[in-house]
Structures are given as structure tokens and as C-alpha cells.
Amino acid sequence: MSNIVMHIDVNSAFLAWTAAYEEQLGRERDIREVPAVIGGNEENRHGIVLARSIPAKKYKIQTGMSLMEARQLCPNLLVVPPNYQVYVRASKALREYLNTYTPIVEVFSIDECFIGFTDLSRDEGVKLAHKIKDSIKEKFGYTVNIGVSTNKLLAKMAGDLEKPDKCHTCFSEEIEEKLWPLPVEELFMVGRKTKHKLNRWGIYTIGDLARADYRLLHRFLGAHGRMIYAYANGIDSSTFQPAPPMKSVGNSSTLKYDVTDRDTAHAIILSLVEMTAWRLREGEMMCKVVRVGIKDKDFNYISRQKKLPYFTDCTKDIYKNIRDLFDKHWDGRPIRQLGVSVADLERTQFKQLSMFQDRNMLNNEKLDKVIDSIREKYGDTSIIRGVFANRDISPILGGYPDDEYPGMTSIL
DNA sequence: TCTGGGGTCCTAGGACCC
DNA sequence: TCTGGGGTCCTAGGACCC
């Protein structure tokens, strides 16, 4: 068991990593010093703010805001496109560096980690946190925040107290002074909806929540109510875990234009399945549940899923099933976004051909293997399916985080 | 507010079984 | 069948995170 827990959070991660990369390339500008955001491509309708610099923050620019809106707040805003490969590399390098301090490292997201120490006094912990923070700045050229406490929740809350380039503590006797005065929405796991509900009940600060009627919270918010009540009181008994097994994999994409014809929709679904099935096989998993998600032009979203009577990792098989689901449930409304995902995963061990499976499936599996290895060698688009030839549709669509960091677990 | 993409977990309702 | 109740599985949607 660890007695000191630290939360490490890269300040404006995408911006900082992009800046460090640009410096390597010898560029003069430092995007951290001016109002700048990392943002998607507006022409392709991916125009939102993924990260913002501290000067941009002063203009009230928020992550998730549309670029249009951000520009209205700051007309001379610099918009830099994202480069995920750089972020993945940077994230990995940081993680490896942290590993030189302790073997107890839990990756929380691409830019956040928890690390644990045994047999460290509080004073030693705080000293070490400062040392780690400063050495990261020196070694990598960007700043981090480090929160120090005795559990993950308190370490994370401490790390958020004041940014950037800071170490803060939040030990149990400091909760009342440091945590309770904060607005309730700053508590981990209190989002927009929960904030409104809590406010309606007269709960505005974390302190209000900590002293609220537990039964009321439980009755109206269920398991989530119990959890945030515990969090407001600094209680979190979660331990350091190895990367949890993957539970679902999926890809989705907002389309350049609203799609109204079935053939185009099918082609997009196939390109998404190409990516998802590939990632599934890379993870040496097979799936039993397949899903499709459809968002129409008015942002109405539906999802439909189907449980198969067998496990599969075959692109063609997954595609056929998802396509059928789509055909069954699409009502013809113009489509803004399409998504596919697979769940009910199991490690690939003994592949058993079920009587429900297509007899060609064995051949298709061989084909998948060949395609995978060609793509690995020569790149994603070195081999593409015929339907994509001469079409304005990417033959393989969606992000591949190309490294194993677990997704968010809602329970720390 | 012309609003991305990757996830996890929880809940409510219905089907089905005994 | 105008009848009870508990359990499991499945599905769709919604909340949250970065």
C-alpha cells in the first residue's frame, strides 16, 4: 500500500507538447505565450477548442467551445491543428520518466498520472513533488501541476487548486480549508447536470455537499450521489490498479456534410469498422456486441446494438452486422455523425467457429491478418477496399490512440 | 453555443424464467 | 386469467471524465 499519492497533470498539455515540438523544429514562436488554441478543422465541421493557452483563457475561451465562438471572444486568436502522434510520444516519455521515481504509476489519461510511494513522510513527499515538477520542466521543457495527498481523489483535487507549475497538498485536515469553499462543480464527477440539481437543493459549494443529507443524495442521485458525497468528504478508498482490461472499442466521425444516401452511409460505416476491428485485433480481443450510433442534422442521437451468438474480430463480419443494424433503424434523416463500436470483449485464445458463422469466415480472418500486416508495414492507406476507390470518403476513419492508455474510469 | 472523439459506469424498462 | 414475486439478461439512453 502507498501512503503518499501524487497526481501529475501536464499544464495545457496539447499546447505545451506542441510548443515543445515546435521548439525542436526550430520555430521562433511560443504558442503558450499568446492567445492560442489547439483546434480541429472547421471546414470538416471539427471546429472546436481542444486545448487553450493561458493567455487564451483570459479571454474566457473554454475547452469544447466552437472555434467560431472562440474567435468572437478573441479576434486575433491563433488556431493550431492537433498532432496526436506527438502527444502520444510525449505522454509515453513522461510516464517512463515517472517510472524512474516509483514503480507505482497509474495512467489516468493522456496527460494525467497518479504515482504512489510507500514509506515516505508528508514532508518528504512534498519535497519530492517539487523536485519532480522542476526536473520535468528542465528535462522536457514544459510545466506540470502536482497534487500531493494520501488518496487519489485528494491528490487530484490538490493538483487543480492553482495552475500552472505548482505543487499543492490536500491532506485530510486541509479539506475544510482548501476544498469546502470551492464551487461544487469543481469536485471530480460533478458535471453540468449534477451541478444544476445540487444548486436547486441549495448546495453550492463542496462544503455544502459534504454536509448535505446523505439520504436525499442517495434517493435522487443513486450510486452517483453516494460517490460525490464521499468525494466531498475526501473519502476515496480506491487502490492503484494495473491498466484495466479494455471493455469496448469504437470510432466515430462527424461528417463533412450531412449524408442522405444509404450507399455513402454504408461506405463510412465500413471505413469506421476498418479502424475499430483493426484496433480490436491489435488488442488481441474478440467481441460479441456490435453497435451503431447515428446523429442527425439536428443533433438527435440514437444508438442500437446487437448481441451476436459468437465472438468475432473479423472486419467483414462486424461490418455486415452493423450495416444491418443501421438499415433497420435509420429513418432517412440527414446524418451528421456516424459511430461504430464493439463490446463484450474477450481475449483471443481459442477461436471456435460457431455454427452461426459464415463458412467463409476463416478465409476472411486470414484476409484480415494479411491486410493488417500490410498496413503495419506500409501505412494505413497502403491497401484499401474497392468501394473507396474514386470516392471522397476516407478508406479508414477514426483515431487510433496507438498506445495503451486506459480510458477514464469513473471510479478512481 | 452551429456544438469532436475516445471511453466508463449507472439506470430503467421489458422479456423471459421459475 | 382480472393473479405474485424474484432473478437474470438485454437494450437504450444519459451522466461523467479528458
Side-chain angles (χ1 to χ4, degrees), chain A residues 14-190:
Chain A
F14 286 3
L15 239 97
W17 287 335
T18 305
Y21 181 64
E22 289 191 347
E23 202 182 331
Q24 262 181 37
L25 297 180
R27 291 195 73 160
E28 292 286 316
R29 69 175 186 186
D30 187 337
I31 57 174
R32 284 169 292 190
E33 308 280 308
V34 296
V37 297
I38 304 294
N41 180 333
E42 280 171 293
E43 270 169 40
N44 292 351
R45 306 200 295 186
H46 291 216
I48 66 152
V49 174
L50 299 164
R52 73 231 201 271
S53 68
I54 289 166
K57 196 176 170 181
K58 298 214 171 90
Y59 287 87
K60 303 208 161 124
I61 290 168
Q62 305 288 339
T63 303
M65 181 179 266
S66 70
L67 289 180
M68 190 105 76
E69 218 180 330
R71 269 205 214 84
Q72 276 166 10
L73 293 170
C74 175
N76 61 340
L77 185 71
L78 177 64
V79 180
V80 182
N83 185 340
Y84 291 100
Q85 281 191 355
V86 166
Y87 309 153
V88 168
R89 276 208 303 270
S91 174
K92 208 169 176 177
L94 175 60
R95 200 182 324 156
E96 277 163 12
Y97 180 63
L98 292 173
N99 235 312
T100 64
Y101 287 92
T102 171
I104 308 172
V105 176
E106 189 175 308
V107 178
F108 186 63
S109 75
I110 193 160
D111 66 340
E112 289 179 42
C113 280
F114 291 101
I115 58 178
F117 297 89
T118 51
D119 307 318
L120 212 55
S121 73
R122 289 184 178 189
D123 283 350
E124 288 166 338
V126 174
K127 244 183 231 162
L128 182 59
H130 277 94
K131 189 182 158 202
I132 295 174
K133 173 180 83 70
D134 294 337
S135 63
I136 289 171
K137 186 152 79 173
E138 196 181 323
K139 188 174 164 67
F140 295 110
Y142 56 80
T143 64
V144 298
N145 257 50
I146 301 188
V148 186
S149 187
T150 50
N151 68 41
K152 286 191 246 169
L153 174 89
L154 286 174
K156 182 162 168 60
M157 294 306 296
D160 277 334
L161 287 174
E162 186 197 1
K163 291 176 178 182
D165 198 18
K166 292 281 190 307
C167 288
H168 278 291
T169 60
C170 189
F171 292 109
S172 51
E173 68 275 10
E174 297 175 297
I175 292 172
E176 198 169 337
E177 169 208 344
K178 292 189 176 176
L179 224 51
W180 286 7
L182 300 175
V184 73
E185 65 271 23
E186 305 221 343
L187 183 66
F188 181 67
M189 290 308 287
V190 176

Side-chain angles (χ1 to χ4, degrees), chain A residues 55 80 114 164 202 266 270 281 287 292 318 350 375 379 385 394 399:
Chain A
V80 182
F114 291 101
H266 286 174
L270 176 57
R281 293 190 293 269
C287 71
V292 66
I318 295 169
F350 318 100
R375 283 188 175 143
R385 291 183 195 259
S394 160

Side-chain angles (χ1 to χ4, degrees), chain A residues 288-330:
Chain A
K288 212 169 197 184
V289 167
V290 300
R291 285 192 201 119
V292 66
I294 307 166
K295 195 189 273 179
D296 73 23
K297 67 179 200 335
D298 300 316
F299 285 83
N300 300 304
Y301 178 78
I302 63 157
S303 71
R304 292 293 179 268
Q305 69 176 55
K306 183 160 96 176
K307 190 158 194 160
L308 308 175
Y310 55 85
F311 283 96
T312 181
D313 64 1
C314 169
T315 299
K316 205 167 169 182
D317 192 17
I318 295 169
Y319 167 64
K320 272 189 184 164
N321 281 291
I322 292 186
R323 189 191 58 196
D324 289 348
L325 270 180
F326 173 83
D327 286 344
K328 206 161 140 194
H329 294 103
W330 181 47

Side-chain angles (χ1 to χ4, degrees), chain A residues 357-382:
Chain A
Q357 258 171 309
D358 195 315
R359 271 161 91 243
N360 291 322
M361 232 27 105
L362 272 182
N363 286 330
N364 286 327
E365 279 171 12
K366 278 185 206 150
L367 181 65
D368 283 336
K369 259 189 206 138
V370 172
I371 292 176
D372 288 352
S373 62
I374 292 174
R375 283 188 175 143
E376 221 155 283
K377 243 190 215 154
Y378 304 106
D380 292 3
T381 52
S382 54

